Amino acid sequence: MRRSREAPLGRPYWVLWTAGAVSFAGDGIMFGALPLLAASITRDPRIVSLTEAVTNVGWLLLGLISGVMVDRWRRTTTMWIVDAIRAVVAGAFAVVVLLDLGTIPLLLLTAFLLGLLAPFFDNAASVVVTDVVVPASLERANGYSQASLVLLSSLIGPPLGAALFVLSRGLPILLNAVSFAGAAVLVWIIRKSAPARVIDADRHLGRELKEGLVYLWQHKLLRTLCLVLTIVNAVGAGIVAILVLYVLEVLHLPQAGFGWLVAIYAIGGVLGAFVAPRLSRRLSTSASLIGALFLSGVAIVCFGVLSGLAPVAVAAVALGFGSSWWNVVSITVRQRIVPAELLGRVTAVYRMVAFCAAPLGAVGAGFLAHRTDLRTPYLVMGLIQLAATAVSAPLIRREVRAATATP
């Protein structure tokens, strides 16, 4: 599981990286504006948290099917078609908001439609790296991709989205639609860089789904990481769902402060993305995975117990670092273990199982905040993640050793 040498990443990777960067920037702008749009209509944390919850419902409905399709179709083709459709959906909603016709039902409907499309794009984008990059360079490729994701969707995008929201509610959403369209064009240009999939004439949806499920369940390391990721995603969705209210009512920052805090988180995320490949050379895979989980859990607890802006900002940097560290290492592990012909399906099963908990985490945080206060969900969810880390650490160490020892 260690990188033995470096090789050039190549033009197809960098075009895909650029397309991803364009799309990430639009997502970040949308991320900074959408919660503010919801909060401008209602301050009920239960309703605001639904915005995050419905975005993840697509994984419950189409997550498994998207994995089969990604293994059947050329992965670059999947990416550009999905982004083109997302451009239309986001563009239509932008027009509605610009006309001052935006409502909570329309906001939730848009988030739901974009959430239905997300599994197809996310699965294809996650596995297409193995089509254009040699195995020895996967950590580096994943690190650069994670860095652009965090930098643009968390550091630059949200503050810009929040600032643009103040100027015009519909402008951030319109820019998100433009970013989807631009990314679609870029991927279309190099669509043939990824190989066409070899289709079995006797293909059967149920059988193909079963192959992905069985492979993941029988692989002890992947199964363990999948179960841990379920907890991590529930916690992550919960803390994001009420973050805008935490910023406005606990930290007493203006609306643009939501983007500022997300940007601070992103600073840690970018650092984590660049440092993770180097840590992979110095630490064992298990140490990296466990360390990332522990660091993130401690940071979330700090959100619930600290009161000053400065210490919360430090905790946000630590949370961003730990999240990127985990993502780079766990994604690379999965890419190296799973056979190419199964990677789309196994990735879909892996992520769908994990995303099942995300809507529950988002809604749970909203209801817990409604019953108590906006600090309690962070304390509770941080402790849950630390408990999950303690329970899973021995399993992760054992299964990484076993996977490494396998010829």
Side-chain angles (χ1 to χ4, degrees), residues 25-94:
D27 285 342
I29 290 171
M30 188 79 153
F31 180 77
L34 210 58
L36 292 174
L37 177 60
S40 70
I41 300 173
T42 178
R43 286 300 180 94
D44 189 328
R46 295 169 296 179
I47 297 176
V48 173
S49 66
L50 284 176
T51 304
E52 174 69 17
V54 298
T55 301
N56 293 307
V57 169
W59 280 96
L60 303 180
L61 299 178
L62 298 177
L64 291 177
I65 294 175
S66 72
V68 175
M69 297 300 104
V70 166
D71 278 342
R72 287 184 180 182
W73 300 333
R74 191 191 300 267
R75 287 153 182 171
T76 45
T77 299
T78 303
M79 293 171 65
W80 79 259
I81 290 177
V82 169
D83 258 351
I85 298 173
R86 292 200 291 188
V88 173
V89 174
F93 185 59

Side-chain angles (χ1 to χ4, degrees), residues 63-355:
L64 291 177
I65 294 175
S66 72
V68 175
M69 297 300 104
V70 166
D71 278 342
R72 287 184 180 182
W73 300 333
R74 191 191 300 267
R75 287 153 182 171
T76 45
T77 299
T78 303
M79 293 171 65
W80 79 259
I81 290 177
V82 169
D83 258 351
I85 298 173
R86 292 200 291 188
V88 173
V89 174
F93 185 59
V95 172
V96 169
V97 176
L98 286 169
L99 294 174
D100 201 24
L101 299 175
T103 63
I104 287 293
L106 285 175
L107 187 154
L108 294 177
L109 175 62
T110 301
F112 175 71
L113 292 175
L114 293 175
L116 288 179
L117 294 165
F120 294 90
F121 181 89
D122 292 347
N123 278 333
S126 179
V127 303
V128 74
V129 176
T130 62
D131 289 334
V132 298
V133 173
V134 298
S137 298
L138 284 175
E139 283 102 345
R140 191 155 48 101
N142 289 326
Y144 288 143
S145 297
Q146 183 68 22
S148 68
L149 167 64
V150 177
L151 179 66
L152 294 166
S153 69
S154 298
L155 180 60
I156 297 175
L160 180 59
L164 292 173
F165 178 83
V166 175
L167 296 176
S168 171
R169 292 184 178 186
L171 183 57
I173 304 168
L174 180 61
L175 288 178
N176 189 40
V178 171
S179 74
F180 282 141
V185 171
L186 286 170
V187 177
W188 180 85
I189 292 172
I190 52 93
R191 64 194 181 281
K192 293 185 179 179
S193 296
R197 314 312 301 170
V198 178
I199 302 300
D200 185 350
D202 297 325
R203 65 186 180 181
H204 182 274
L205 179 62
R207 184 171 62 250
E208 290 174 279
L209 285 175
K210 182 179 178 181
E211 288 174 352
L213 285 165
V214 170
Y215 187 94
L216 176 60
W217 183 253
Q218 291 183 344
H219 198 289
K220 294 181 180 179
L221 176 57
L222 292 179
R223 186 176 67 210
T224 300
L225 295 180
C226 181
L227 294 175
V228 172
L229 185 60
T230 302
I231 303 298
V232 172
N233 268 18
V235 170
I239 64 177
V240 168
I242 59 170
L243 184 61
V244 63
L245 299 180
Y246 179 90
V247 168
L248 296 174
E249 299 183 15
V250 176
L251 298 181
H252 303 293
L253 295 175
Q255 287 184 334
F258 173 72
W260 301 341
L261 187 61
V262 174
I264 292 171
Y265 160 87
I267 292 173
V270 173
L271 290 173
F274 280 115
V275 172
R278 294 171 174 81
L279 290 175
S280 295
R281 295 197 296 268
R282 291 173 170 80
L283 300 175
S284 67
T285 301
S286 58
S288 289
L289 292 168
I290 295 167
L293 289 171
F294 178 78
L295 179 62
S296 299
V298 170
I300 295 167
V301 169
C302 289
F303 272 75
V305 299
L306 299 176
S307 57
L309 177 58
V312 169
V314 173
V317 171
L319 178 59
F321 188 98
S323 298
S324 287
W325 188 11
W326 163 270
N327 286 336
V328 170
V329 177
S330 62
I331 289 171
T332 302
V333 167
R334 187 172 69 249
Q335 289 170 340
R336 285 195 168 137
I337 287 175
V338 182
E341 66 274 11
L342 282 171
L343 188 54
R345 280 166 284 173
V346 173
T347 297
V349 175
Y350 182 92
R351 300 184 71 174
M352 193 221 62
V353 171
F355 270 92

